[in-house]
Amino acid sequence: MAVLLWIIYSLFLKDEPPPVRLSINIAGGVYVDKQSKASPVRHKDYSKPTDHAPSSSCSAMQFIVYSCGLKCDSVVEQEIGIVTAYLVAVLTNRTFVIARNSICNIGEFFQPNDYNWTECEDYVSNIPTNDSDIFSMSYTQTHRNRTKAQNDNLSNYFLSLLHKKVIILDINWNTFSIIKHSLVPGCTPKLRWIAFADGPDIFYHSYHAIFKPVPHLTDSLEYIFKNEIGKRHLICGLAERAYSYGRKHNKKERMAGLTAVSFIEYHYTNSSKYVTFVVSDVHGVGEQAVSKLPNHLDMFKALDNIRRFGQQNVPLPDSCKMLHTRILEQMILTRCELLAFRKSAGSQLVLALRDHPGGLFMFNDTEKRIMSVDKWNVADFVM
């Protein structure tokens, strides 16, 4: 019956992606709800978090330094960690610096936007690591079942470190969610919106205050949309491990990825109308997408064409080529008209950077199907 309803509905479908309210289960059954349009941009116009210590001399400043720790091979974990540490810096009126301890410097892909995080990079890198005024803190909270007392202890512990000149941080968004309320009272008034704003809003504004893609990235993105996608609708899937470092995928993640491919295959294989694009680090999902979706965007071909015909053809070290591809994939995913995903650090990053909350479908682990969601209604914005 559900399939019959879909056939009847599709007769009236215009040359645009189907309505937002759809879901599909493992068996392929389609459930059609009422039609709805993508919501308008909902990012609020907050003051950009760009305040920091006003001194012009690096030697007189205090610093928060982001260090990627064990996650230097994951650009998603680095971006999330950088934004989180940056927020801690502006809330404590410290200068923010990104440590150059990765095999591929983040500066290969991004340059400072509103906030110059390279300002005291050389000064900080020359401070002896055994200096008593330097403290390193690695804390990446992944669970939400902490007691209030545990959260208070973590907040108080961090506050006790603020006398140090340099605090080197390897933390994630979950950790910031715990300690931010203890930091906001001491920050400048125009940044106190961070205490009550939605997680996606905080992340969106902070990310764009720090990062601006380098020209060769924006040129690559423009080339792909002009020459590989054109006027067709971009339909995407994202299936990644919940935490990308140090763990193999599980059955739920594989099921979510394969379901996303089935969902896209069922609706969007008309090559004259749609381009499909599935990104996954789960075994077998990417291969399934290439096999089942005849209109799947071939990134290897696109990158080869960019190297041959792109306006900003910049040679990259071998150590940076994989991260370049990953960041370009991420930028494409933020522009998809429709995105089917399972919750992960990567999907939360993409959701936060999207300019509108519509066209989102999340895999529901309990019901084992993909269901329509709103960006601001994805429970527990956690990375």
Side-chain angles (χ1 to χ4, degrees):
M1 183 61 182
V3 174
L4 179 61
L5 286 172
W6 173 248
I7 293 173
I8 295 172
Y9 180 86
S10 65
L11 293 175
F12 301 94
L13 188 64
K14 295 181 180 179
D15 187 12
E16 58 184 20
V20 174
R21 301 294 297 176
L22 287 173
S23 59
I24 183 170
N25 64 12
I26 295 299
V30 179
Y31 301 85
V32 182
D33 298 322
K34 65 181 180 179
Q35 183 173 355
S36 64
K37 296 181 180 179
S39 303
V41 175
R42 286 179 58 183
H43 287 294
K44 298 176 182 177
D45 188 20
Y46 294 115
S47 300
K48 290 185 177 180
T50 55
D51 283 3
H52 69 98
S55 173
S56 59
S57 171
C58 293
S59 62
M61 295 180 182
Q62 290 182 303
F63 299 93
I64 293 291
V65 180
Y66 171 75
S67 174
C68 56
L70 298 175
K71 304 181 291 298
C72 293
D73 61 339
S74 168
V75 68
V76 169
E77 304 292 349
Q78 284 192 64
E79 288 174 283
I80 293 170
I82 287 169
V83 170
T84 305
Y86 165 72
L87 278 164
V88 173
V90 295
L91 288 177
T92 57
N93 199 32
R94 287 169 169 254
T95 300
F96 178 65
V97 172
I98 301 173
R100 291 177 291 193
N101 60 349
S102 172
I103 58 172
C104 182
N105 189 348
I106 198 76
E108 294 281 355
F109 312 109
F110 297 106
Q111 55 193 355
N113 195 13
D114 296 310
Y115 185 101
N116 184 9
W117 37 268
T118 65
E119 180 181 6
C120 294
E121 198 175 58
D122 291 334
Y123 173 82
V124 171
S125 65
N126 289 322
I127 298 176
T129 55
N130 60 351
D131 193 306
S132 61
D133 217 16
I134 295 180
F135 188 88
S136 295
M137 177 180 175
S138 179
Y139 193 92
T140 51
Q141 175 65 29
T142 58
H143 302 292
R144 299 302 300 274
N145 56 344
R146 291 172 54 88
T147 66
K148 183 178 183 302
Q150 288 175 317
N151 290 344
D152 288 344
N153 286 340
L154 178 60
S155 297
N156 292 333
Y157 175 68
F158 185 80
L159 290 174
S160 72
L161 303 175
L162 294 182
H163 67 283
K164 296 286 187 179
K165 182 177 180 64
V166 180
I167 301 176
I168 302 173
L169 291 181
D170 173 20
I171 61 175
N172 63 357
W173 190 262
N174 302 359
T175 309
F176 175 71
S177 300
I178 295 171
I179 67 175
K180 73 173 182 178
H181 293 290
S182 64
L183 302 180
V184 168
C187 74
T188 58
K190 70 178 184 179
L191 294 180
R192 289 178 186 167
W193 61 267
I194 293 172
F196 58 81
D198 292 325
D201 266 330
I202 301 173
F203 193 90
Y204 179 91
H205 287 292
S206 301
Y207 187 96
H208 289 293
I210 308 171
F211 290 136
K212 180 169 64 175
V214 295
H216 72 79
L217 264 182
T218 53
D219 176 64
S220 297
L221 189 67
E222 180 182 351
Y223 182 92
I224 287 173
F225 273 86
K226 181 179 179 180
N227 297 284
E228 306 291 340
I229 298 171
K231 295 182 179 180
R232 294 178 291 173
H233 301 287
L234 181 60
I235 309 298
C236 301
L238 176 59
E240 296 184 312
R241 291 167 288 173
Y243 292 93
S244 59
Y245 56 94
R247 185 180 65 76
K248 295 182 179 180
H249 70 267
N250 59 34
K251 291 182 179 179
K252 287 183 179 179
E253 290 160 348
R254 180 174 169 79
M255 180 183 293
L258 295 178
T259 304
V261 173
S262 297
F263 173 67
I264 294 170
E265 180 189 15
Y266 194 90
H267 299 294
Y268 305 109
T269 51
N270 185 335
S271 298
S272 65
K273 294 182 178 180
Y274 310 115
V275 174
T276 59
F277 185 54
V278 176
V279 175
S280 179
D281 62 359
V282 178
H283 178 70
V285 174
E287 293 84 346
Q288 186 81 347
V290 172
S291 172
K292 296 289 186 181
L293 304 174
N295 54 351
H296 192 267
L297 175 63
D298 187 338
M299 276 295 286
F300 292 106
K301 177 184 175 182
L303 290 171
D304 183 59
N305 287 337
I306 289 167
R307 281 189 284 269
R308 293 166 60 192
F309 308 118
Q311 296 178 8
Q312 298 277 351
N313 187 9
V314 178
L316 288 171
D318 289 342
S319 59
C320 292
K321 289 179 180 178
M322 184 178 295
L323 289 182
H324 172 264
T325 302
R326 186 66 187 91
I327 292 172
L328 193 56
E329 288 173 343
Q330 175 185 296
M331 294 171 70
I332 293 171
L333 289 170
T334 64
R335 298 190 178 194
C336 297
E337 294 182 51
L338 185 148
L339 177 64
F341 65 96
R342 183 178 186 267
K343 202 171 197 180
S344 66
S347 68
Q348 295 277 258
L349 178 66
V350 168
L351 291 184
L353 298 180
R354 281 173 64 91
D355 281 329
H356 66 79
L360 297 175
F361 295 82
M362 185 171 73
F363 182 79
N364 185 303
D365 287 343
T366 303
E367 299 190 27
K368 294 182 173 60
R369 59 174 176 146
I370 288 176
M371 305 180 70
S372 172
V373 293
D374 184 280
K375 171 176 170 176
W376 267 261
N377 292 331
V378 177
D380 296 330
F381 180 82
V382 176
M383 297 187 288

